[in-house]
Amino acid sequence: MNEEMFEDIPEVSIFSEKEKTQMKQKEEKRLKKIFKDYRPEVNELVKPLIDRCAFLFTELKEAEAQIQKFGSVEVYKNGANQWGRKKSASVEVHNIMIKNYAVVIKQLIDLLPKESSDKAMDEFKDFLTSGKK
């Protein structure tokens, strides 16, 4: 595809790159605090998982902000007479990312010692239910 095709499409990013970087760094710090109890031999496996998790967290926040601003449904038009409503692209992205985020968190929790794992699972459940109030 040609980049020129997209020149008239407005940017929908809610957060600036600087804000996203700060958000990701803050989330990495929070995750490192939660997942600090790894055995040394497991720690090297955990670093990329925490990085991935912080990235997904940041992108989830972006998708959620887009959904709040633009809504969860968008109008589409295919041709002269075919149009309707569909789930927004932000909802699609959010649904995929939340599943991936949950998988990465589960991997992190499964690598923890049992006592730390229970505490981390409680914090993860709190995160998942925080947006449903």
Short mmCIF file of all heavy atoms in Angstrom, two decimals, residues 72-127:
data_model
loop_
_atom_site.label_atom_id
_atom_site.label_comp_id
_atom_site.label_asym_id
_atom_site.label_seq_id
_atom_site.Cartn_x
_atom_site.Cartn_y
_atom_site.Cartn_z
N SER A 72 -17.34 2.50 20.93
CA SER A 72 -16.99 1.12 20.63
C SER A 72 -17.59 0.63 19.31
O SER A 72 -17.32 -0.48 18.87
CB SER A 72 -17.45 0.20 21.77
OG SER A 72 -18.85 0.31 21.92
N VAL A 73 -18.39 1.48 18.68
CA VAL A 73 -19.03 1.12 17.41
C VAL A 73 -18.70 2.20 16.39
O VAL A 73 -18.65 3.38 16.71
CB VAL A 73 -20.56 1.02 17.59
CG1 VAL A 73 -21.26 0.74 16.29
CG2 VAL A 73 -20.90 -0.05 18.62
N GLU A 74 -18.45 1.76 15.15
CA GLU A 74 -18.19 2.72 14.09
C GLU A 74 -19.04 2.38 12.87
O GLU A 74 -19.48 1.24 12.72
CB GLU A 74 -16.71 2.77 13.73
CG GLU A 74 -16.12 1.48 13.24
CD GLU A 74 -14.60 1.52 13.12
OE1 GLU A 74 -13.95 2.38 13.75
OE2 GLU A 74 -14.06 0.67 12.40
N VAL A 75 -19.28 3.37 12.06
CA VAL A 75 -20.08 3.19 10.84
C VAL A 75 -19.13 2.80 9.72
O VAL A 75 -18.03 3.33 9.62
CB VAL A 75 -20.83 4.48 10.47
CG1 VAL A 75 -21.55 4.35 9.15
CG2 VAL A 75 -21.81 4.85 11.59
N TYR A 76 -19.54 1.85 8.90
CA TYR A 76 -18.74 1.49 7.74
C TYR A 76 -19.59 1.62 6.48
O TYR A 76 -20.81 1.60 6.53
CB TYR A 76 -18.19 0.06 7.86
CG TYR A 76 -19.24 -1.01 7.70
CD1 TYR A 76 -19.54 -1.53 6.43
CD2 TYR A 76 -19.92 -1.51 8.79
CE1 TYR A 76 -20.50 -2.52 6.28
CE2 TYR A 76 -20.88 -2.49 8.64
CZ TYR A 76 -21.17 -2.99 7.38
OH TYR A 76 -22.12 -3.96 7.23
N LYS A 77 -18.89 1.78 5.36
CA LYS A 77 -19.57 1.86 4.07
C LYS A 77 -18.74 1.11 3.04
O LYS A 77 -17.58 1.43 2.84
CB LYS A 77 -19.77 3.31 3.64
CG LYS A 77 -20.55 3.44 2.35
CD LYS A 77 -20.85 4.89 2.01
CE LYS A 77 -21.68 4.93 0.73
NZ LYS A 77 -21.99 6.30 0.34
N ASN A 78 -19.35 0.12 2.42
CA ASN A 78 -18.72 -0.65 1.34
C ASN A 78 -19.56 -0.45 0.09
O ASN A 78 -20.58 -1.08 -0.07
CB ASN A 78 -18.66 -2.14 1.67
CG ASN A 78 -17.75 -2.45 2.83
OD1 ASN A 78 -16.87 -1.67 3.14
ND2 ASN A 78 -17.96 -3.58 3.47
N GLY A 79 -19.15 0.42 -0.76
CA GLY A 79 -19.91 0.65 -1.98
C GLY A 79 -21.03 1.65 -1.77
O GLY A 79 -21.15 2.29 -0.73
N ALA A 80 -21.89 1.77 -2.77
CA ALA A 80 -22.94 2.79 -2.76
C ALA A 80 -24.04 2.52 -1.74
O ALA A 80 -24.50 3.44 -1.07
CB ALA A 80 -23.54 2.90 -4.16
N ASN A 81 -24.47 1.30 -1.60
CA ASN A 81 -25.63 1.01 -0.76
C ASN A 81 -25.36 0.08 0.42
O ASN A 81 -26.30 -0.31 1.10
CB ASN A 81 -26.75 0.41 -1.61
CG ASN A 81 -27.25 1.40 -2.65
OD1 ASN A 81 -27.43 2.57 -2.34
ND2 ASN A 81 -27.44 0.93 -3.86
N GLN A 82 -24.14 -0.31 0.60
CA GLN A 82 -23.84 -1.24 1.68
C GLN A 82 -23.13 -0.50 2.81
O GLN A 82 -22.01 -0.06 2.67
CB GLN A 82 -22.95 -2.38 1.17
CG GLN A 82 -22.71 -3.43 2.22
CD GLN A 82 -21.80 -4.54 1.70
OE1 GLN A 82 -21.25 -4.45 0.62
NE2 GLN A 82 -21.67 -5.59 2.49
N TRP A 83 -23.84 -0.35 3.92
CA TRP A 83 -23.27 0.32 5.08
C TRP A 83 -23.92 -0.24 6.33
O TRP A 83 -24.92 -0.94 6.28
CB TRP A 83 -23.44 1.83 5.00
CG TRP A 83 -24.88 2.26 4.94
CD1 TRP A 83 -25.67 2.35 3.83
CD2 TRP A 83 -25.70 2.62 6.04
NE1 TRP A 83 -26.94 2.74 4.18
CE2 TRP A 83 -26.99 2.92 5.54
CE3 TRP A 83 -25.48 2.72 7.42
CZ2 TRP A 83 -28.04 3.30 6.37
CZ3 TRP A 83 -26.53 3.11 8.23
CH2 TRP A 83 -27.79 3.41 7.69
N GLY A 84 -23.34 0.09 7.45
CA GLY A 84 -23.88 -0.39 8.71
C GLY A 84 -22.97 0.01 9.86
O GLY A 84 -22.16 0.93 9.75
N ARG A 85 -23.12 -0.70 10.95
CA ARG A 85 -22.29 -0.45 12.13
C ARG A 85 -21.52 -1.72 12.46
O ARG A 85 -22.00 -2.82 12.22
CB ARG A 85 -23.16 -0.05 13.32
CG ARG A 85 -23.89 1.26 13.11
CD ARG A 85 -24.64 1.65 14.38
NE ARG A 85 -25.40 2.85 14.20
CZ ARG A 85 -24.90 4.08 14.27
NH1 ARG A 85 -23.64 4.27 14.55
NH2 ARG A 85 -25.66 5.13 14.09
N LYS A 86 -20.33 -1.52 13.02
CA LYS A 86 -19.50 -2.65 13.42
C LYS A 86 -18.68 -2.26 14.64
O LYS A 86 -18.58 -1.08 14.98
CB LYS A 86 -18.59 -3.10 12.29
CG LYS A 86 -17.55 -2.06 11.91
CD LYS A 86 -16.62 -2.58 10.83
CE LYS A 86 -15.53 -1.55 10.58
NZ LYS A 86 -14.49 -2.02 9.74
N LYS A 87 -18.10 -3.26 15.26
CA LYS A 87 -17.18 -3.02 16.36
C LYS A 87 -16.04 -2.14 15.86
O LYS A 87 -15.54 -2.35 14.77
CB LYS A 87 -16.57 -4.36 16.79
CG LYS A 87 -16.79 -4.75 18.17
CD LYS A 87 -16.07 -6.02 18.58
CE LYS A 87 -16.11 -7.16 17.61
NZ LYS A 87 -15.58 -8.40 18.14
N SER A 88 -15.64 -1.17 16.66
CA SER A 88 -14.55 -0.30 16.24
C SER A 88 -13.23 -1.06 16.21
O SER A 88 -13.06 -2.09 16.88
CB SER A 88 -14.43 0.90 17.18
OG SER A 88 -13.86 0.52 18.41
N ALA A 89 -12.30 -0.54 15.45
CA ALA A 89 -10.96 -1.14 15.37
C ALA A 89 -10.30 -1.14 16.75
O ALA A 89 -9.58 -2.08 17.10
CB ALA A 89 -10.11 -0.38 14.36
N SER A 90 -10.56 -0.12 17.56
CA SER A 90 -9.98 -0.05 18.90
C SER A 90 -10.49 -1.18 19.78
O SER A 90 -9.74 -1.73 20.59
CB SER A 90 -10.28 1.30 19.55
OG SER A 90 -9.64 2.33 18.85
N VAL A 91 -11.74 -1.54 19.62
CA VAL A 91 -12.31 -2.66 20.39
C VAL A 91 -11.65 -3.96 19.95
O VAL A 91 -11.30 -4.80 20.79
CB VAL A 91 -13.84 -2.73 20.23
CG1 VAL A 91 -14.41 -4.02 20.78
CG2 VAL A 91 -14.49 -1.53 20.90
N GLU A 92 -11.47 -4.12 18.65
CA GLU A 92 -10.81 -5.32 18.12
C GLU A 92 -9.40 -5.45 18.70
O GLU A 92 -9.00 -6.51 19.19
CB GLU A 92 -10.74 -5.27 16.59
CG GLU A 92 -12.07 -5.26 15.90
CD GLU A 92 -12.70 -6.63 15.76
OE1 GLU A 92 -12.01 -7.64 15.96
OE2 GLU A 92 -13.90 -6.67 15.46
N VAL A 93 -8.64 -4.35 18.64
CA VAL A 93 -7.28 -4.34 19.17
C VAL A 93 -7.29 -4.63 20.67
O VAL A 93 -6.50 -5.45 21.17
CB VAL A 93 -6.59 -2.98 18.89
CG1 VAL A 93 -5.32 -2.81 19.69
CG2 VAL A 93 -6.32 -2.83 17.40
N HIS A 94 -8.19 -3.99 21.40
CA HIS A 94 -8.27 -4.19 22.85
C HIS A 94 -8.56 -5.65 23.18
O HIS A 94 -7.92 -6.23 24.07
CB HIS A 94 -9.35 -3.28 23.44
CG HIS A 94 -9.41 -3.34 24.93
ND1 HIS A 94 -10.15 -4.28 25.60
CD2 HIS A 94 -8.80 -2.59 25.88
CE1 HIS A 94 -10.00 -4.10 26.89
NE2 HIS A 94 -9.19 -3.08 27.10
N ASN A 95 -9.51 -6.25 22.48
CA ASN A 95 -9.87 -7.65 22.76
C ASN A 95 -8.69 -8.59 22.55
O ASN A 95 -8.47 -9.50 23.35
CB ASN A 95 -11.05 -8.08 21.90
CG ASN A 95 -12.35 -7.44 22.34
OD1 ASN A 95 -12.44 -6.91 23.45
ND2 ASN A 95 -13.34 -7.47 21.48
N ILE A 96 -7.92 -8.36 21.51
CA ILE A 96 -6.76 -9.21 21.25
C ILE A 96 -5.67 -8.97 22.30
O ILE A 96 -5.10 -9.92 22.85
CB ILE A 96 -6.21 -8.95 19.83
CG1 ILE A 96 -7.22 -9.47 18.79
CG2 ILE A 96 -4.84 -9.61 19.63
CD1 ILE A 96 -6.95 -9.00 17.38
N MET A 97 -5.42 -7.70 22.60
CA MET A 97 -4.34 -7.38 23.53
C MET A 97 -4.64 -7.81 24.96
O MET A 97 -3.73 -8.22 25.68
CB MET A 97 -4.01 -5.89 23.48
CG MET A 97 -3.26 -5.53 22.24
SD MET A 97 -2.46 -3.96 22.44
CE MET A 97 -1.41 -3.99 21.02
N ILE A 98 -5.89 -7.73 25.38
CA ILE A 98 -6.20 -8.14 26.76
C ILE A 98 -5.97 -9.64 26.93
O ILE A 98 -5.50 -10.10 27.97
CB ILE A 98 -7.63 -7.70 27.20
CG1 ILE A 98 -7.79 -7.80 28.72
CG2 ILE A 98 -8.70 -8.53 26.53
CD1 ILE A 98 -7.08 -6.76 29.49
N LYS A 99 -6.26 -10.39 25.88
CA LYS A 99 -6.00 -11.84 25.93
C LYS A 99 -4.49 -12.10 26.00
O LYS A 99 -4.04 -12.93 26.79
CB LYS A 99 -6.60 -12.54 24.72
CG LYS A 99 -8.11 -12.57 24.75
CD LYS A 99 -8.68 -13.13 23.47
CE LYS A 99 -10.20 -12.96 23.48
NZ LYS A 99 -10.80 -13.27 22.19
N ASN A 100 -3.73 -11.40 25.17
CA ASN A 100 -2.28 -11.56 25.19
C ASN A 100 -1.68 -11.12 26.52
O ASN A 100 -0.78 -11.77 27.05
CB ASN A 100 -1.63 -10.78 24.04
CG ASN A 100 -1.98 -11.36 22.68
OD1 ASN A 100 -2.37 -12.52 22.56
ND2 ASN A 100 -1.85 -10.55 21.65
N TYR A 101 -2.20 -10.03 27.06
CA TYR A 101 -1.74 -9.54 28.36
C TYR A 101 -1.98 -10.59 29.44
O TYR A 101 -1.10 -10.88 30.25
CB TYR A 101 -2.46 -8.24 28.69
CG TYR A 101 -2.08 -7.62 30.01
CD1 TYR A 101 -0.93 -6.85 30.13
CD2 TYR A 101 -2.88 -7.79 31.14
CE1 TYR A 101 -0.58 -6.28 31.34
CE2 TYR A 101 -2.53 -7.22 32.36
CZ TYR A 101 -1.38 -6.47 32.45
OH TYR A 101 -1.03 -5.90 33.65
N ALA A 102 -3.16 -11.17 29.42
CA ALA A 102 -3.49 -12.19 30.42
C ALA A 102 -2.57 -13.40 30.30
O ALA A 102 -2.15 -13.98 31.31
CB ALA A 102 -4.95 -12.62 30.26
N VAL A 103 -2.22 -13.79 29.09
CA VAL A 103 -1.32 -14.93 28.88
C VAL A 103 0.06 -14.62 29.45
O VAL A 103 0.65 -15.45 30.15
CB VAL A 103 -1.22 -15.29 27.38
CG1 VAL A 103 -0.07 -16.24 27.11
CG2 VAL A 103 -2.52 -15.89 26.88
N VAL A 104 0.57 -13.42 29.19
CA VAL A 104 1.90 -13.05 29.68
C VAL A 104 1.89 -12.97 31.21
O VAL A 104 2.81 -13.46 31.87
CB VAL A 104 2.40 -11.73 29.05
CG1 VAL A 104 3.72 -11.30 29.66
CG2 VAL A 104 2.54 -11.89 27.55
N ILE A 105 0.87 -12.36 31.78
CA ILE A 105 0.76 -12.29 33.25
C ILE A 105 0.72 -13.70 33.84
O ILE A 105 1.39 -13.99 34.83
CB ILE A 105 -0.49 -11.48 33.68
CG1 ILE A 105 -0.30 -10.00 33.41
CG2 ILE A 105 -0.83 -11.72 35.15
CD1 ILE A 105 0.67 -9.30 34.35
N LYS A 106 -0.04 -14.58 33.23
CA LYS A 106 -0.13 -15.98 33.71
C LYS A 106 1.25 -16.63 33.67
O LYS A 106 1.63 -17.34 34.60
CB LYS A 106 -1.14 -16.75 32.86
CG LYS A 106 -1.24 -18.21 33.18
CD LYS A 106 -2.28 -18.49 34.22
CE LYS A 106 -2.58 -19.95 34.37
NZ LYS A 106 -1.64 -20.71 35.15
N GLN A 107 2.01 -16.40 32.60
CA GLN A 107 3.36 -16.95 32.51
C GLN A 107 4.23 -16.41 33.65
O GLN A 107 4.98 -17.17 34.27
CB GLN A 107 4.00 -16.60 31.17
CG GLN A 107 3.40 -17.33 30.00
CD GLN A 107 3.95 -16.83 28.67
OE1 GLN A 107 4.28 -15.65 28.53
NE2 GLN A 107 4.04 -17.72 27.70
N LEU A 108 4.14 -15.12 33.91
CA LEU A 108 4.92 -14.52 35.00
C LEU A 108 4.52 -15.12 36.35
O LEU A 108 5.38 -15.45 37.16
CB LEU A 108 4.72 -13.01 35.01
CG LEU A 108 5.43 -12.22 33.92
CD1 LEU A 108 4.90 -10.79 33.85
CD2 LEU A 108 6.93 -12.23 34.15
N ILE A 109 3.24 -15.27 36.56
CA ILE A 109 2.75 -15.83 37.83
C ILE A 109 3.18 -17.28 38.00
O ILE A 109 3.60 -17.69 39.08
CB ILE A 109 1.22 -15.67 37.93
CG1 ILE A 109 0.88 -14.18 38.11
CG2 ILE A 109 0.65 -16.50 39.08
CD1 ILE A 109 -0.59 -13.86 37.99
N ASP A 110 3.12 -18.04 36.92
CA ASP A 110 3.48 -19.46 36.99
C ASP A 110 4.97 -19.66 37.31
O ASP A 110 5.34 -20.71 37.83
CB ASP A 110 3.14 -20.18 35.68
CG ASP A 110 1.64 -20.38 35.50
OD1 ASP A 110 0.88 -20.18 36.48
OD2 ASP A 110 1.23 -20.73 34.37
N LEU A 111 5.80 -18.69 37.02
CA LEU A 111 7.23 -18.79 37.30
C LEU A 111 7.59 -18.39 38.73
O LEU A 111 8.70 -18.61 39.18
CB LEU A 111 8.03 -17.94 36.31
CG LEU A 111 8.05 -18.43 34.87
CD1 LEU A 111 8.64 -17.36 33.95
CD2 LEU A 111 8.81 -19.73 34.75
N LEU A 112 6.63 -17.80 39.44
CA LEU A 112 6.88 -17.36 40.82
C LEU A 112 6.81 -18.52 41.80
O LEU A 112 6.09 -19.50 41.57
CB LEU A 112 5.82 -16.34 41.25
CG LEU A 112 5.99 -14.90 40.82
CD1 LEU A 112 4.73 -14.11 41.15
CD2 LEU A 112 7.19 -14.26 41.46
N PRO A 113 7.49 -18.38 42.95
CA PRO A 113 7.26 -19.33 44.05
C PRO A 113 5.79 -19.24 44.49
O PRO A 113 5.15 -18.20 44.32
CB PRO A 113 8.19 -18.84 45.16
CG PRO A 113 9.17 -17.94 44.49
CD PRO A 113 8.50 -17.40 43.27
N LYS A 114 5.25 -20.28 45.06
CA LYS A 114 3.82 -20.39 45.38
C LYS A 114 3.27 -19.20 46.16
O LYS A 114 2.24 -18.64 45.80
CB LYS A 114 3.57 -21.71 46.15
CG LYS A 114 2.16 -21.90 46.64
CD LYS A 114 1.20 -22.17 45.50
CE LYS A 114 -0.19 -22.46 46.05
NZ LYS A 114 -1.23 -21.71 45.43
N GLU A 115 3.92 -18.79 47.24
CA GLU A 115 3.40 -17.71 48.09
C GLU A 115 3.30 -16.39 47.31
O GLU A 115 2.31 -15.68 47.39
CB GLU A 115 4.29 -17.48 49.33
CG GLU A 115 4.56 -18.69 50.18
CD GLU A 115 5.62 -19.61 49.59
OE1 GLU A 115 6.65 -19.13 49.07
OE2 GLU A 115 5.41 -20.82 49.62
N SER A 116 4.34 -16.09 46.56
CA SER A 116 4.34 -14.86 45.76
C SER A 116 3.33 -14.94 44.63
O SER A 116 2.72 -13.96 44.25
CB SER A 116 5.73 -14.61 45.18
OG SER A 116 6.67 -14.46 46.21
N SER A 117 3.14 -16.13 44.12
CA SER A 117 2.20 -16.35 43.02
C SER A 117 0.77 -16.01 43.43
O SER A 117 0.03 -15.39 42.68
CB SER A 117 2.32 -17.81 42.57
OG SER A 117 1.20 -18.26 41.95
N ASP A 118 0.38 -16.41 44.63
CA ASP A 118 -0.97 -16.12 45.12
C ASP A 118 -1.20 -14.61 45.23
O ASP A 118 -2.25 -14.10 44.83
CB ASP A 118 -1.21 -16.78 46.48
CG ASP A 118 -1.25 -18.30 46.39
OD1 ASP A 118 -1.45 -18.83 45.27
OD2 ASP A 118 -1.08 -18.96 47.43
N LYS A 119 -0.22 -13.90 45.77
CA LYS A 119 -0.34 -12.44 45.91
C LYS A 119 -0.42 -11.77 44.54
O LYS A 119 -1.24 -10.88 44.32
CB LYS A 119 0.86 -11.90 46.70
CG LYS A 119 0.80 -10.41 46.92
CD LYS A 119 2.00 -9.91 47.69
CE LYS A 119 1.94 -8.40 47.79
NZ LYS A 119 3.19 -7.80 48.15
N ALA A 120 0.43 -12.20 43.61
CA ALA A 120 0.43 -11.62 42.26
C ALA A 120 -0.89 -11.89 41.55
O ALA A 120 -1.42 -11.03 40.86
CB ALA A 120 1.59 -12.19 41.46
N MET A 121 -1.46 -13.08 41.74
CA MET A 121 -2.74 -13.41 41.11
C MET A 121 -3.84 -12.52 41.66
O MET A 121 -4.71 -12.06 40.90
CB MET A 121 -3.08 -14.88 41.33
CG MET A 121 -4.30 -15.32 40.55
SD MET A 121 -4.16 -15.01 38.79
CE MET A 121 -3.90 -16.63 38.19
N ASP A 122 -3.82 -12.23 42.94
CA ASP A 122 -4.80 -11.32 43.54
C ASP A 122 -4.68 -9.92 42.92
O ASP A 122 -5.70 -9.29 42.61
CB ASP A 122 -4.61 -11.23 45.06
CG ASP A 122 -5.02 -12.51 45.78
OD1 ASP A 122 -5.74 -13.33 45.18
OD2 ASP A 122 -4.59 -12.69 46.93
N GLU A 123 -3.46 -9.44 42.74
CA GLU A 123 -3.26 -8.12 42.14
C GLU A 123 -3.74 -8.10 40.69
O GLU A 123 -4.32 -7.12 40.23
CB GLU A 123 -1.79 -7.70 42.24
CG GLU A 123 -1.39 -7.37 43.66
CD GLU A 123 -0.04 -6.68 43.75
OE1 GLU A 123 0.30 -5.89 42.84
OE2 GLU A 123 0.68 -6.94 44.73
N PHE A 124 -3.51 -9.20 39.97
CA PHE A 124 -3.96 -9.28 38.58
C PHE A 124 -5.49 -9.28 38.51
O PHE A 124 -6.09 -8.58 37.70
CB PHE A 124 -3.40 -10.54 37.92
CG PHE A 124 -3.87 -10.75 36.51
CD1 PHE A 124 -3.66 -9.77 35.54
CD2 PHE A 124 -4.52 -11.90 36.15
CE1 PHE A 124 -4.09 -9.96 34.23
CE2 PHE A 124 -4.95 -12.10 34.84
CZ PHE A 124 -4.73 -11.13 33.88
N LYS A 125 -6.13 -10.00 39.40
CA LYS A 125 -7.60 -10.01 39.44
C LYS A 125 -8.14 -8.62 39.76
O LYS A 125 -9.14 -8.18 39.18
CB LYS A 125 -8.11 -11.03 40.46
CG LYS A 125 -7.93 -12.46 40.01
CD LYS A 125 -8.39 -13.44 41.09
CE LYS A 125 -8.11 -14.87 40.67
NZ LYS A 125 -8.42 -15.82 41.74
N ASP A 126 -7.49 -7.91 40.66
CA ASP A 126 -7.89 -6.53 40.98
C ASP A 126 -7.78 -5.64 39.74
O ASP A 126 -8.65 -4.82 39.48
CB ASP A 126 -7.01 -5.95 42.12
CG ASP A 126 -7.31 -6.57 43.45
OD1 ASP A 126 -8.35 -7.25 43.60
OD2 ASP A 126 -6.47 -6.40 44.37
N PHE A 127 -6.71 -5.82 38.97
CA PHE A 127 -6.52 -5.04 37.75
C PHE A 127 -7.65 -5.32 36.76
O PHE A 127 -8.24 -4.41 36.18
CB PHE A 127 -5.18 -5.35 37.09
CG PHE A 127 -5.06 -4.83 35.69
CD1 PHE A 127 -4.81 -3.49 35.45
CD2 PHE A 127 -5.23 -5.67 34.59
CE1 PHE A 127 -4.72 -2.99 34.16
CE2 PHE A 127 -5.15 -5.19 33.29
CZ PHE A 127 -4.88 -3.86 33.08
#
